[in-house]
Each structure stands twice: as structure tokens, then as C-alpha cells.
Amino acid sequence: MKLQVPFFPNTSDDTHCYQAVLQMILGYFLPLEAHTLQDLDSITGKTDQKWTWPTAGLMWLYAQRGYTYTS
């Protein structure tokens, strides 16, 4: 079975790999919702020309499903 996952490229600065992957995942599972790179930068704690905090993205996805977590 071949899935029709939309493609979203990494940006020209090559520091948005995680955000591009999230866009693809969200585009497949939530095709009616738009998630910009700027939105995903905020969600994942991305800072300019630096890294991403993948755990922040996972916590956001978890919360989107209605689950709660404690620290």
C-alpha cells in the first residue's frame, strides 16, 4: 500500500528538518488544517539558525489528542 503523504521541503537554511517532517505528518493525518513553518517553529521551540526541541513537538501532538501530562 502506498500512502499519499504530502511533501514539504526543508527551508533554504537547512535547519527546519523536523518542522518539514511535522508538516508532512500533519498534512497526511489532518489535511484540512494548515500548519506553517512559523507555527511549527513556535510549537517546537526552534530558535533562529539553531536546533529544535523535538520533545516540545511531541508534547504538543500529545496535547492535541486531548491527553494531559505531568512534569
Side-chain angles (χ1 to χ4, degrees):
M1 173 172 63
K2 186 175 180 180
L3 300 177
Q4 297 298 317
V5 178
F7 175 75
F8 291 93
N10 191 353
T11 60
S12 60
D13 67 0
D14 290 331
T15 65
H16 287 84
C17 302
Y18 187 70
Q19 289 78 7
V21 169
L22 276 178
Q23 276 187 309
M24 289 184 255
I25 291 168
L26 294 168
Y28 179 77
F29 287 104
L30 303 171
L32 300 178
E33 295 182 20
H35 297 89
T36 66
L37 283 177
Q38 291 78 18
D39 294 338
L40 296 173
D41 281 351
S42 177
I43 288 166
T44 60
K46 170 97 173 69
T47 56
D48 191 36
Q49 295 297 320
K50 294 191 180 174
W51 59 85
T52 295
W53 187 38
T55 305
L58 292 174
M59 290 168 46
W60 178 82
L61 287 169
Y62 193 70
Q64 293 301 302
R65 298 290 300 160
Y67 300 116
T68 58
Y69 49 87
T70 58
S71 54

